[in-house]
Amino acid sequence: MKKWFELEQRGSSVSTELIAGFTTFLTMAYAVIVIPAVLSSTGMDFNGAFLATGLTIIVATLIMGIFANYPIVIGPGLGLNAYLAYSVVSGSGHSWQTALGAVCLSGILFFLISLTPLRSILLEAIPASLKHAITAGIGLFVCFIGLQSAKVVVASPATLVTLGKLSEPTALLSCIGLILSLVLMVYRVKAALIVGMLITGILAYWQGMLVLPEHSLVVPNGLEKTLLQLDLSSIWQQGLYSVVFTFLLITLFDTTGTLLGIAEQAHILKDGRLPRARGAFLADATGTVIGSLLGTSPTATYIESGSGVAAGGRTGLTAVTVAALMTLTLFFAPWAKVLSTIPAVTAPPLIIVGFFMMNSLRHIDWQNIEEAFPAFLIMATMPLTYSIATGIGLGFIVYPLLKLLRGKYGEVHPILYLFMALFVFQMTLQSH
């Protein structure tokens, strides 16, 4: 084991890696409740989505840990999870089977791109300001969904949205749960989000809002309701090219940025480059394809992996430990399902994750309107149009347009002009 994971070369030990894996698991365990809860809003069976999410985390993380040997966890991402459920399915009226088909196709494309230099070309073609804006815009979108779920923000015939009645049970308990989670985070409790969810669940039970499950432990079941249910043919029939592109683009940015950030934190970068980077990208791409076949949203590199690195994790043994703990979690599906039915339990993590994603805004030059306004447009329109794809499209149109009008067309990569033309076609000539 020491030889396979290169423990001595990286200055680590088995005990340190196990502790790091346990730490990472505690910080990201909330995802296995929140993600199936969001997916079930599309009509998907909760047990199937829960098992698909857990299995995807296990498989993708094992690939990352064993073959890439990095202390990094991969699983369905919360931002793309919300986009799939609330924009592609609920917002645009597509079936969840069609959405899974788009996920699968984006994963296959990501896999192929990871085998070629095209991945680097795409990353270099997109301006940094737009990349940061996409991340922040998804954060606002996820936060908006959390506030709606909590009934803190409600519909209004006069102003479209307004403040909800905070004395209403769901809104009040959501606010209490949010404050609890924030206090735990301020005190640097590793499992702040999952502990906050559990305490909120106890309060919900005390208020008569939560019914305890009949069985605490069950053999994992329900996967047959989501397994191989994806619909690829409808992608062409319904013209979901922008959806596939959005899944692909965000997965590409998220994986690259998070991987490099955590690798730098773990001191495993060499001359600013990531060794075995291809294996790491292929792990994410494989996870997305497998997840779509099982019945869950696109995978992403979990930023919570940084907590395990902070605890001393330096090798893939940390990731393998997380996968082992996630395997045990699959037997607690009844508890996950009960907690997922209470919006006050799942809304605070959505709001807090949205906050974390806003951190990238500090990298944007707000004094340069050519860079800043397209970024602002992306962030503003994602939640307001309830579509991540629309936000990206508007930003990718306005950015090169401003550069052209300023006579700086040479500063824009040719690929971005191609994206601009495609989005103009998508938004003006094709039916939405």
Side-chain angles (χ1 to χ4, degrees):
M1 180 182 292
K2 290 184 178 180
K3 185 177 180 180
W4 179 272
F5 291 108
E6 302 176 352
L7 294 179
E8 294 182 358
Q9 294 92 316
R10 298 191 187 182
S12 187
S13 64
V14 173
S15 60
T16 298
E17 296 294 312
L18 294 178
I19 293 172
F22 185 70
T23 302
T24 299
F25 175 78
L26 288 178
T27 59
M28 53 76 62
Y30 72 93
V32 81
I33 298 175
V34 177
I35 288 173
V38 172
L39 290 175
S40 64
S41 69
T42 67
M44 293 179 67
D45 178 72
F46 177 87
N47 287 334
F50 173 79
L51 191 52
T53 299
L55 288 174
T56 300
I57 293 174
I58 292 168
V59 174
T61 300
L62 282 175
I63 294 174
M64 176 67 78
I66 295 174
F67 296 103
N69 196 22
Y70 288 131
I72 293 171
V73 177
I74 293 178
L78 195 52
L80 287 174
N81 174 253
Y83 172 60
L84 183 154
Y86 300 111
S87 184
V88 179
V89 178
S90 301
S92 300
H94 302 294
S95 68
W96 59 265
Q97 292 91 341
T98 299
L100 289 180
V103 172
C104 183
L105 182 56
S106 70
I108 293 172
L109 291 174
F110 186 33
F111 186 92
L112 296 175
I113 287 173
S114 297
L115 295 174
T116 70
L118 185 57
R119 177 181 59 82
S120 299
I121 294 173
L122 284 174
L123 288 172
E124 293 172 2
I126 312 302
S129 59
L130 298 189
K131 296 175 188 176
H132 299 312
I134 290 171
T135 300
I138 294 173
L140 287 175
F141 182 64
V142 170
C143 177
F144 186 43
I145 290 170
L147 291 171
Q148 286 182 303
S149 176
K151 295 186 178 180
V152 173
V153 171
V154 297
S156 166
T159 60
L160 298 183
V161 292
T162 188
L163 182 67
K165 189 176 181 181
L166 298 184
S167 59
E168 194 268 339
T170 296
L172 179 59
L173 188 57
S174 296
C175 292
I176 293 173
L178 178 61
I179 293 171
L180 280 171
S181 297
L182 290 173
V183 170
L184 290 170
M185 290 172 63
V186 168
Y187 280 96
R188 301 186 182 281
V189 176
K190 297 294 184 183
L193 291 182
I194 190 66
V195 171
M197 292 172 70
L198 293 175
I199 295 176
T200 305
I202 293 172
L203 294 176
Y205 173 74
W206 182 56
Q207 290 293 318
M209 299 168 62
L210 183 150
V211 179
L212 297 180
E214 295 182 4
H215 305 284
S216 295
L217 294 172
V218 297
V219 176
N221 64 86
L223 188 62
E224 70 279 358
K225 296 179 180 179
T226 58
L227 180 65
L228 299 179
Q229 296 298 309
L230 70 168
D231 180 4
L232 287 168
S233 61
S234 294
I235 297 174
W236 322 114
Q237 297 170 3
Q238 301 176 28
L240 298 184
Y241 311 116
S242 64
V243 173
V244 174
F245 177 72
T246 299
F247 282 142
L248 173 63
L249 199 64
I250 298 172
T251 303
L252 181 65
F253 292 162
D254 180 87
T255 300
T256 304
T258 308
L259 266 176
L260 292 177
I262 295 175
E264 182 178 11
Q265 181 186 355
H267 305 294
I268 51 182
L269 290 180
K270 294 184 179 180
D271 299 322
R273 303 178 70 87
L274 183 67
R276 295 185 299 279
R278 177 173 293 182
F281 288 117
L282 291 178
D284 205 346
T286 303
T288 293
V289 175
I290 291 175
S292 68
L293 298 176
L294 294 173
T296 190
S297 48
T299 57
T301 303
Y302 281 4
I303 191 65
E304 288 85 359
S305 302
S307 64
V309 171
R314 295 293 181 271
T315 76
L317 184 55
T318 294
V320 172
T321 302
V322 174
L325 292 170
M326 183 56 63
T327 301
L328 296 177
T329 304
L330 297 181
F331 293 89
F332 290 87
W335 284 102
K337 186 173 185 178
V338 164
L339 291 174
S340 73
T341 60
I342 310 299
V345 172
T346 56
L350 289 170
I351 297 169
I352 292 172
V353 168
F355 157 74
F356 281 134
M357 297 180 76
M358 301 298 291
N359 183 53
S360 61
L361 290 180
R362 60 193 175 92
H363 299 294
I364 297 175
D365 181 7
W366 294 102
Q367 302 304 312
N368 185 345
I369 193 168
E370 297 169 23
E371 299 287 333
F373 186 79
F376 162 76
L377 194 61
I378 289 174
M379 291 185 295
T381 54
M382 278 188 185
L384 293 178
T385 63
Y386 233 65
S387 172
I388 292 175
T390 298
I392 292 175
L394 290 173
F396 278 33
I397 291 172
V398 173
Y399 184 92
L401 185 60
L402 286 177
K403 293 293 186 180
L404 276 172
L405 294 175
R406 283 278 289 154
K408 298 180 179 180
Y409 53 86
E411 295 182 5
V412 179
H413 197 286
I415 289 180
L416 198 59
Y417 288 120
L418 174 61
F419 289 159
M420 179 180 71
L422 292 174
F423 275 116
V424 168
F425 174 77
Q426 174 77 19
M427 293 182 178
T428 60
L429 300 181
Q430 283 196 322
S431 59
H432 222 345

